[in-house]
Amino acid sequence: MIAENVRQTLAQLAGGNAQGEPITLVAATKTRTPEEINAAIAAGITDIGENRVQEFTQKFDAVQGARRHFIGHLQTNKVKYLIGKCDLIHSLDRYELANELQKRAAAAGWVANCLVEINIGSELSKSGFSPETAEKAVQDLRAYPNLRLCGLMAMLPISEDSEYLRALCLSMRDIYDTIKKTDKNFRFLSMGMSGDWQLCVECGSNMIRLGTALFGPRRSPAAESRP
Ligand SMILES: *Cc1c(COP(=O)(O)O)cnc(C)c1O
């Protein structure tokens, strides 16, 4: 079933997004076993993302052959476990985290590829810079020599109002395009999960993070919440 889901999804993404850019599919692997993740990789997944450092570390050696992303909220005391091991951190959401990442990355002689997380729906339950301060945040974060800013990440709110969601998505793409004009490293807009990725891709997302759509429903609901 995993292999079939992966193949079908990759086929759907083959045409690229609304801008004609290729779309990177990141398999969101929280709660999945190394066997399940390796099955997804064998079927064509090239990028995998964990949202807890403990799972990232536990499965690291048992999973092979894919780029590693970190997509969840990152506590500063866990940063050290990702140094040198993570290809893209999607959740650069505050200066305190940037400070810790900078310190650890510099000490290791490593550069952390990061996406700046934007709280697009201005939700209290989510972290990230506000859409209004996104440009300023990116400007500030460029001053950290061991962070390479590669784009933006956002999570849409839960809503039945698809026009509202579309407006949020389009405004994310706007912010992304504005910053991209002055930054050659900017190339990823990571936005879209199993329930909303079609809309996100229509509005210009070029990186989506899918869990349930690839692996089926998660076993433990408790594991879904961000720490
Ligand atoms: C779990 C998770 C996803 C994928 O969620 P699905 O709804 O299962 O596709 C995407 N992004 C983040 C940050 C996640 O934690």
Side-chain angles (χ1 to χ4, degrees), residues 166-178:
R166 181 178 301 275
L168 291 182
C169 277
L170 290 172
S171 76
M172 266 308 289
R173 179 71 203 200
D174 256 5
I175 297 168
Y176 171 78
D177 279 334
T178 303

Side-chain angles (χ1 to χ4, degrees), residues 18-224:
Q19 279 73 6
E21 299 161 343
I23 301 162
T24 303
L25 171 59
V26 179
T29 51
K30 59 174 173 270
T31 78
R32 314 302 176 176
T33 63
E35 291 70 31
E36 292 171 305
I37 301 167
N38 285 325
I41 294 170
I45 287 294
T46 55
D47 293 74
I48 57 174
E50 284 289 349
N51 75 331
R52 286 166 183 248
V53 171
Q54 199 183 350
E55 277 190 73
F56 182 95
T57 306
Q58 275 171 354
K59 298 177 207 168
F60 194 86
D61 290 330
V63 172
Q64 303 284 338
R67 278 183 292 273
R68 322 267 175 159
H69 300 237
F70 190 81
I71 62 178
H73 183 69
L74 181 52
Q75 292 166 262
T76 46
N77 63 349
K78 303 263 173 75
V79 163
K80 54 179 178 282
Y81 301 111
L82 297 184
I83 299 300
K85 294 189 145 187
C86 188
D87 296 288
L88 186 62
I89 297 170
H90 291 227
S91 45
L92 181 54
D93 59 359
R94 61 200 192 282
Y95 294 108
E96 181 202 17
L97 176 59
N99 293 339
E100 178 67 11
L101 264 171
Q102 169 57 34
K103 190 180 89 187
R104 298 272 177 185
W110 184 66
V111 173
N113 292 318
C114 299
L115 304 181
V116 178
E117 182 171 350
I118 307 300
N119 186 355
I120 188 64
S122 306
E123 295 175 278
L124 291 174
S125 62
K126 292 209 175 100
S127 46
F129 296 94
S130 71
E132 294 74 25
T133 60
E135 280 180 63
K136 165 82 163 62
V138 170
Q139 228 167 51
D140 293 341
L141 293 167
R142 276 190 193 131
Y144 293 70
N146 293 71
L147 306 186
R148 183 184 295 122
L149 308 183
C150 303
L152 303 177
M153 186 272 238
M155 274 186 277
L156 289 182
I158 306 288
S159 167
E160 298 290 297
D161 185 347
S162 60
E163 284 319 301
Y164 168 64
L165 294 178
R166 181 178 301 275
L168 291 182
C169 277
L170 290 172
S171 76
M172 266 308 289
R173 179 71 203 200
D174 256 5
I175 297 168
Y176 171 78
D177 279 334
T178 303
I179 299 170
K180 190 174 152 61
K181 274 186 203 134
T182 63
D183 193 327
K184 65 175 179 9
N185 289 323
F186 244 64
R187 59 191 184 285
F188 298 126
L189 176 55
S190 169
M191 182 169 70
M193 310 185 6
S194 294
D196 57 22
W197 69 265
Q198 281 98 341
L199 175 67
C200 292
V201 162
E202 274 171 39
C203 296
S205 168
N206 59 23
M207 181 172 268
I208 61 175
R209 311 174 307 268
L210 303 187
T212 4
L214 303 179
F215 297 103
R218 276 183 285 278
R219 285 167 211 106
S220 132
E224 283 195 47

